[in-house]
Every structure is written in structure tokens, then in C-alpha cells.
């Protein structure tokens, strides 16, 4: 529904219109006279509450633990897959990336409804961490697990279980929205979404820690190696155990940011939220994860082909780029938390600029026909004559487009990746999650956050399959074309329906559950109310 304009009215006037036409959330100090005792009690009870930052920090840490296991394997998974099962193709590699997202997509709404049903997030959080632990164990022991089919299917199952476990991230985002006061909400959301984005961007960066192990690594038992490919799985297991410890020891679940049943009995239910506005948020999450996941899923094969890098080199260079991008993202989140920018910046304006940044990145890194140079190429005869030596470049017998696609300068590519994606991605994360929470209003959000997680998982499910197919058949140019189309369509929705992308208008009695200096509320409406 469209946000209604609010005209100045005396605070003592009884509102008899549609329950959605209420005073906006950023009210000045209320005149709590004797006939407003029930409202006074709501306000006093709320003012006595404070955000439990210790639990928010635990939620941030556990979110990081879950998110890092999405991207922890990206720089080493493709080489590892080639080692344990040479029959695996780029298309199947895309299916493995998608299997993680399929598990997350199926589990996210289930854990959301489960959490709402039992009114606690702790059991679903434990279950998710245990599933991720099992998935990492299968990944580590895949070379020695006896199965009647190819080893690549073990990796597929491993990533599916890990993705299912990571569905608990939606619970932690919902918790940040309901466990903080109105003035602290944007900061709390920035912390948890910062843990999410940093985990996703720093995953491949951790690979640098394992690079010195090399492909041979350390042999701990017969056919069991801790090397550059399997060490990430051990790191994932350790992180899951750490997450379980943090929840057990320090996580105390509190929901101070929503009215309780007694408040609702006195003042009625909250008005319904705008479901179409949530749909646009879901589409935006799909777009964001479609772009990021596509870059990460074909990033390693693309670099090996376009820049003629061998396996150790591509693992090292991709990991370095991820570390640098994570540092940029960390700077963004740190500034947001340090200066509480959520109370200064308008979320819609942040999203306009950040989504546009995704378009700019694809234009800068596009394989334009006028670019100089040609890719390094080889053919199957060269492979046969190499005696097992790894050849680098583009195999003309495998890809038809090797001679038609000029290479992008790798310095330009990774500079744009680090700076543009490194800035746009965290800003989209913070602004989208903040505005999404405000559109729903001060109510339990685990189910809605679960569906937001589904939209991102859906992108990670279909994206790698589509983009890997386009990359294999037509080269990187068509992969970029589809990505640009998705981003432009998403930005268009925000521009066309900008009037609906606003916080929920709540009854006056519940105004204190929201930020009274919210920059996402229309400024003209704020000015009128301040003049009352």
C-alpha cells in the first residue's frame, strides 16, 4: 500500500479513520496527559529497556561463521574438484555452487516458521551449526569415502548440507531487528549484516592462510591430507564449534524492540505491512546475490582462462583480491557503526547509488570488442604432448570463443572488483536490511527474514547454473549481459515504486518502538509534525 500523507492534528484527537492512517513514527515529545496512562505505561516500559549488545555481538559472530562457509571454498573448490574427479566440468561446478543455495532456500523458511512457532531461535541455531559441521566433514574426507559413483557427488552433498545449515543466518538478522531499541536498530542491523557480508567476502581470503601447504600438504593418515584444498573444511569445522560455544555461553535472547501481548491487548494489533514493498526487497536481494555469486562461481575459471594463470597462482591472486575487498567492506561497516550512519543516511538513496555501482562495475570489466590483445590459447594436442604439465590459457577445442573475446586487463578487473563491489555490496546489505525491517515494523520477523534469505539463495541456486552455461557456451560477454539486465531491472523497480518503499506507519501508542529521528521517513512529513 502507498504511504499516506499525514496532516497536523491535535494529539488529543481520536483517530477514527482506517487503522493504517496513523501518526508517523518520528513524533516529537508526546503530551502524555492523564488520559493517556496506557500509552505512558508503554513508553515507560520501553524506556527502561536497553539493547543487549553482548547478544548482538554474538549474533554478529555466528552470522560471520555461517556466511564465511559460503565463500570459503571458492578459490580452491574448482582445483580440488579437478584433482579428486577429473570428469567434473564447469557446468557441474556451477551445480555444486547452486546446491549450497538450494539447501539454504529449502531450509530458510522452515527455520523461520519454526522459530516463530516456539518463540526462540536457539534450537534452530544449534541445528544449523551442526549441519554445517557435517557438511565440512564430508568435504574433507571426500577423497577416501567409498561410494559407487563419482566423487563429485560427495562434494555436491557436502555443499547442500552446509547450505541448509547456513539458513540460521536469517534468524540472526531478524534478532538484530527485534532485540534493539529504535535508536540502536540501524547500528545493530549494521553489525549483523556486517558479519554476513564480511564472512562472504573474507572466505576466499582465509585461503591465503592455507596456501603455504600446497597441493601435497601434510599427510596425517593413509590417503588423508591437510593441504591447500582440504584445510578450509577443517577451518569450517572449527568455526562451527566456536559458534556453538558462543551461543551456549553468551547468547541471551531478548526481544525488546516489539510490543508484547499486553500492549497489543490495550492498543490493538499493528497495521499490516506493504507486501509489495517486501517483494521489491526480495527482488533486490536476488539481484545482489545473483551478481556476487556469479562473480565468485566463475571467477576462478575465468581468471585461469582469461589471464592464463595456473592453479596455485589463481588461488593466491583470487584470495588476495578477496582480502582487499573484505578490507574495503570492513571500512564501510566500521564507519556505519562508528558514526551510526543509519540515523543520517536515507536507505533509498544509498540503494540507488549502490545498485548503480553494480552497473558501473560490469561496464568497466566488460570484454568490449575494441580492447587490445588476445587470450593465450592451446588445444587438445598440446595437452597430450604436455606429459601432465598444466597448460594455461583458453582451450580452443573446448571453448569456441577463445579467439573472439579480448582479455580485460587484470589490474582493471580486480581494482574494480575490490573497490566498486567492495563498497556497493556492504551498502546494499545495510540499507536493504534496515529498510526491510522498517517496512515490516516492530513485530517478529523470522519468517519474513527467512523468505529474504530464500530470495538470495534462489539467486545463488539459478545464477551459477545459468552463468556457467553462458560462460561455457558463449564466453564472459553474455554472462555480463545477463547480469547487467538483472541490475537495470531492479534499479527500475526502486525508481518506479519509490513512494512505497517507506517504513510502516504505526499507531501513536507504538511510536516509541521505532526511531523517532528516522531519515527514511519523508522529510516533508517530519517538518509538518514538528510544526504541530
Amino acid at each position: 500500500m502507498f504511504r499516506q500523507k499525514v496532516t497536523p492534528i491535535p494529539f488529543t484527537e481520536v483517530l477514527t479513520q482506517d487503522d493504517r492512517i496513523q501518526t508517523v513514527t518520528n513524533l516529537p515529545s508526546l503530551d502524555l496527559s492523564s488520559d493517556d496512562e496506557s500509552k505512558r505505561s508503554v513508553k515507560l516500559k520501553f524506556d527502561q529497556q536497553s539493547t543487549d549488545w553482548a547478544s548482538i555481538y554474538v549474533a554478529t559472530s555466528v552470522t560471520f561463521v555461517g556466511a564465511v562457509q559460503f565463500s570459503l571454498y571458492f578459490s580452491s573448490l574448482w582445483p580440488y574438484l579437478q584433482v579428486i574427479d577429473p570428469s567434473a566440468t564447469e557446468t557441474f561446478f556451477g551445480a555444486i555452487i547452486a546446491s549450497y543455495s538450494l539447501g539454504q532456500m529449502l531450509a530458510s523458511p522452515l527455520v523461520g516458521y519454526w522459530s516463530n512457532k516456539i518463540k526462540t531461535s536457539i534450537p534452530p541455531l544449534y541445528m544449523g551449526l551442526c549441519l554445517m559441521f557435517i557438511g565440512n566433514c564430508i568435504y574433507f574426507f571426500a577423497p577416501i569415502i567409498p561410494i559407487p559413483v563419482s566423487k563429485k557427488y560427495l562434494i555436491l552433498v557436502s555443499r547442500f548440507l552446509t547450505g541448509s545449515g547456513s539458513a540460521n543466518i536469517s534468524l540472526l538478522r531478524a534478532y538484530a531487528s527485534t532485540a534493539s531499541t529504535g535508536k540502536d536498530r540501524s547500528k545493530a542491523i549494521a553489525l549483523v549484516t556486517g558479519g554476513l557480508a564480511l564472512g562472504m567476502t573474507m572466505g576466499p581470503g582465509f585461503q591465503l592462510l592455507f596456501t603455504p601447504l600446497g597441493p601435497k600438504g601434510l599427510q596425517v593418515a593413509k590417503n588423508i591430507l591437510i593441504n591447500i584444498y582440504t584445510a578450509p573444511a577443517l577451518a569450517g569445522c572449527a568455526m562451527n564449534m566456536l559458534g556453538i560455544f558462543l551461543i551456549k555461553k553468551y547468547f541471551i535472547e531478548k526481544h525488546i524492540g516489539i510490543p508484547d501481548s499486553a500492549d497489543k491487548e490495550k492498543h490493538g494489533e499493528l497495521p499490516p505491512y506493504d507486501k509489495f514493498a517486501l517483494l521489491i526487497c526480495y527482488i533486490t536481494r536476488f539481484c545482489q546475490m545473483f551478481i556476487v555469486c556469479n562473480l565468485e562461481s566463475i571467477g576462478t575459471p575465468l581468471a585461469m582462462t582469461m589471464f592464463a594463470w595456473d592453479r596455485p597462482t589463481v588461488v593466491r591472486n583470487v584470495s588476495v583480491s578477496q582480502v582487499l575487498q573484505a578490507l574495503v567492506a570492513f571500512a564501510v561497516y566500521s564507519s556505519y557503526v562508528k558514526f551510526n550512519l543509519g540515523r543520517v543516511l536515507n536507505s533509498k538513496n544509498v540503494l540507488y547509488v549502490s545498485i548503480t555501482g553494480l552497473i558501473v562495475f560490469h561496464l568497466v570489466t566488460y570484454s568490449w570488442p575494441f580492447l587490445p590483445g588476445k587470450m593465450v590459447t592451446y588445444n587438445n594436442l598440446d595437452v597430450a604432448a604436455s606429459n601432465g604439465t598444466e597448460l594455461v590459457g583458453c582451450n580452443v577445442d573446448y571453448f569456441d570463443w577463445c579467439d573472439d573475446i579480448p582479455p580485460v586487463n587484470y589490474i582493471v578487473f580486480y581494482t574494480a572488483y575490490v573497490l566498486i563491489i567492495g563498497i556497493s555490496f556492504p551498502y546494499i546489505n545495510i540499507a536493504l536490511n534496515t529498510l526491510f525491517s522498517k517496512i515490516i515494523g516492530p513485530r517478529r520477523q523470522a519468517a519474513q527474514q527467512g523468505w529474504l534469505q530464500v530470495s538470495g539463495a534462489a539467486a545463488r541456486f539459478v545464477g551459477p547454473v545459468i552463468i556457467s552455461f553462458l560462460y561455457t557456451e558463449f564466453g564472459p560477454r553474455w554472462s555480463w549481459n545477463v547480469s547487467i539486465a538483472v541490475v537495470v531491472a531492479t534499479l527500475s523497480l526502486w525508481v518506479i515504486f519509490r513512494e512505497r518503499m517507506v517504513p510502516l506507519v504505526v499507531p501513536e501508542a507504538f511510536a516509541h518502538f521505532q526511531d523517532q529521528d528516522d531519515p527514511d521517513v519523508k522529510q516533508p512529513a517530519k517538518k509538518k509534525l514538528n510544526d504541530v
Side-chain angles (χ1 to χ4, degrees), residues 100-377:
Y100 176 98
S101 303
L102 177 62
Q104 191 179 82
M105 187 167 58
L106 295 175
S108 292
L110 296 178
V111 298
Y113 286 117
W114 180 18
S115 175
N116 280 357
K117 181 72 173 178
I118 63 178
K119 299 188 183 304
T120 178
S121 302
I122 293 177
L125 289 175
Y126 282 139
M127 185 195 72
L129 289 166
C130 289
L131 284 175
M132 286 189 282
F133 183 88
I134 295 171
N136 288 323
C137 288
I138 294 175
Y139 187 96
F140 179 82
F141 291 108
I144 63 171
I145 296 177
I147 57 172
V149 294
S150 300
K151 297 288 187 179
K152 61 185 178 183
Y153 293 104
L154 278 175
I155 304 300
L156 189 75
V157 172
S158 163
R159 297 303 289 160
F160 176 83
L161 291 175
T162 307
S164 299
S166 70
N168 60 16
I169 292 175
S170 62
L171 302 179
L172 298 167
R173 285 207 305 257
Y175 179 75
S177 302
T178 59
S180 53
T181 62
K183 64 184 181 64
D184 292 333
R185 189 151 302 137
S186 60
K187 182 177 178 180
I189 292 174
L191 280 168
V192 174
T193 56
L196 171 65
L198 288 177
M200 294 181 63
T201 55
M202 287 186 65
F206 280 107
Q207 187 70 57
L208 286 176
L209 301 176
F210 314 126
T211 300
L213 292 172
K216 294 183 178 180
L218 304 173
Q219 185 170 353
V220 295
K222 184 178 180 181
N223 297 327
I224 299 179
L225 298 175
I226 300 177
N227 58 17
I228 191 175
Y229 307 132
T230 59
L234 290 182
C237 290
M239 290 180 186
N240 297 140
M241 295 175 66
L242 175 62
I244 292 174
F245 170 77
L246 290 174
I247 294 174
K248 179 69 174 178
K249 186 73 174 177
Y250 299 107
F251 188 72
I252 301 174
E253 196 168 12
K254 295 170 60 177
H255 294 279
I256 65 170
I258 57 177
D260 58 26
S261 57
D263 296 331
K264 293 179 181 178
E265 288 179 5
K266 291 180 181 179
H267 307 293
E269 293 291 331
L270 291 167
Y273 53 83
D274 189 341
K275 294 182 179 179
F276 186 79
L278 289 194
L279 176 62
I280 294 179
C281 291
Y282 295 148
I283 293 172
T284 306
R285 175 67 70 196
F286 179 94
C287 169
Q288 177 197 17
M289 299 314 302
F290 185 85
I291 299 303
V292 173
C293 181
N294 293 344
L295 290 173
E296 292 176 334
S297 62
I298 69 168
T300 302
L302 175 67
M304 295 176 70
T305 300
M306 182 173 288
F307 307 135
W309 290 342
D310 59 19
R311 292 169 189 163
T313 301
V314 77
V315 170
R316 182 187 67 246
N317 291 352
V318 171
S319 298
V320 169
S321 71
Q322 289 288 346
V323 169
L324 295 176
Q325 188 202 60
L327 291 175
V328 172
F330 180 78
V332 172
Y333 286 112
S334 297
S335 64
Y336 230 94
V337 173
K338 175 68 175 178
F339 302 108
N340 208 358
L341 296 180
R343 305 190 73 192
V344 178
L345 301 178
N346 179 277
S347 297
K348 281 193 295 187
N349 293 338
V350 171
L351 285 164
Y352 292 151
V353 175
S354 301
I355 295 173
T356 302
L358 299 182
I359 300 175
V360 173
F361 166 80
H362 285 88
L363 295 179
V364 170
T365 58
Y366 195 85
S367 297
W368 298 101
F370 55 78
L371 290 178
K374 298 188 67 175
M375 285 192 289
V376 175
T377 60

